[in-house]
Amino acid sequence: MIVEVVSIFPELVGLLDVSLLGKARGSGLLEVRAHDLRDFTHDRHRTVDDTPYGGGAGMVMRPEPWGEALDAVLADGPAPLVVFLTPAGERFDQAMARRFAAEERLVFCCGRYEGIDQRVIEHTAARARVLEVSLGDFVLNGGEVAALAMIEATARLLPGVIGNPESLTEESHESGLLEYPAYTKPAEWRGLEVPPVLRSGDHGAVARWRAAQSLERTRRVRPDLLPPEA
Ligand code: ADE
């Protein structure tokens, strides 16, 4: 998979090398390319923003550097899905990560300030598949951290990136429920015991206990995830 990131902080993309995704990049499963939006400006100050039409606080990212950056990125390589990061977008989730993981090429456009001139999104949508996506219902200073989170969630779904693919099917959000609690050795730590059923060797009992814990945890912490009849 090819992932491209357009940002005024392209060096942030280097963070991906630190986690297990560094290995995926090394092995050729994932190629991440960062582009500096300021390389597509032509003034001495490399200006990327200006005041909003209609007034109001903050600055808006100008369309010209974005247009040139996207011209360059779209001109070469397989047809991508272009993702604009914005708190005003559709909310990212595990299903969207799976959808991203099926793409050959993803282009993440990281806005800063009060966002990107809307004509950039409109213009791009006329030549490529475009989504406006939010990491969650909170506001970041820019799309970079959101893009990194989405890239990590997506890349770990690529075949070969995670050593044991079974760990992908058991985890929170894959089944629609939160994951059951996990324990490792020692069996007793600071007076706290690992639930005996997990040490019983009874695989059926373990599976039933985990299913019940998943349901109880989801009911308690995230009742919004439960189907209406549960
Ligand atoms: N930029 C600022 N806030 C954001 C969010 N919640 N998701 C994606 N991009 C953002």
Side-chain angles (χ1 to χ4, degrees):
M1 163 179 275
I2 302 167
V3 173
E4 319 227 22
V5 181
V6 185
S7 161
I8 57 169
F9 297 122
E11 63 276 14
L12 286 178
V13 172
L15 272 181
L16 290 170
D17 287 328
V18 182
S19 71
L20 88 159
L21 296 183
K23 267 192 244 153
R25 291 180 73 178
S27 68
L29 294 168
L30 178 69
E31 185 185 333
V32 184
R33 304 175 187 152
H35 306 272
D36 188 344
L37 182 69
R38 293 196 199 275
D39 289 345
F40 300 92
T41 58
H42 302 287
D43 63 310
R44 203 154 53 86
H45 300 290
R46 311 204 334 140
T47 313
V48 293
D49 61 338
D50 209 330
T51 53
Y53 273 118
M59 301 290 268
V60 176
M61 293 190 108
R62 297 172 57 98
E64 302 95 321
W66 276 108
E68 287 191 31
L70 284 164
D71 286 346
V73 170
L74 296 180
D76 112 86
L81 175 65
V82 182
V83 178
F84 287 91
L85 287 315
T86 164
E90 280 178 58
R91 194 161 59 187
F92 185 73
D93 61 9
Q94 192 66 18
M96 200 182 285
R98 283 192 294 265
R99 178 174 166 197
F100 285 4
E103 294 285 337
E104 202 176 344
R105 186 158 78 117
L106 294 167
V107 177
F108 289 93
C109 301
C110 303
R112 283 259 144 187
Y113 317 114
E114 296 306 308
I116 303 173
D117 187 303
Q118 193 64 31
R119 290 170 294 180
V120 174
I121 290 100
E122 208 180 300
H123 189 264
T124 309
R127 7 181 224 161
R129 290 170 299 131
V130 164
L131 278 181
E132 293 178 87
V133 183
S134 169
L135 184 61
D137 294 339
F138 45 80
V139 179
L140 301 165
N141 279 342
E144 285 78 6
V145 167
L148 291 178
M150 292 176 200
I151 294 166
E152 180 157 321
T154 300
R156 61 195 295 287
L157 299 178
L158 299 176
V161 171
I162 296 273
N164 176 6
E166 252 178 53
S167 62
L168 291 176
T169 56
E170 290 271 310
E171 62 200 4
S172 293
H173 301 294
E174 276 300 334
S175 66
L177 298 179
L178 301 183
E179 195 176 6
Y180 48 78
Y183 299 87
T184 186
K185 290 175 257 322
E188 198 203 309
W189 174 76
R190 298 193 177 182
L192 300 171
E193 253 199 72
V194 171
V197 60
L198 297 179
R199 294 180 282 143
S200 68
D202 181 341
H203 299 302
V206 168
R208 286 190 296 279
W209 181 86
R210 285 177 167 168
Q213 289 286 316
S214 268
L215 191 58
E216 184 281 324
R217 186 182 252 183
T218 309
R219 258 196 198 117
R220 180 164 41 86
V221 203
R222 292 293 306 279
D224 57 298
L225 294 177
L226 292 170
E229 73 278 11

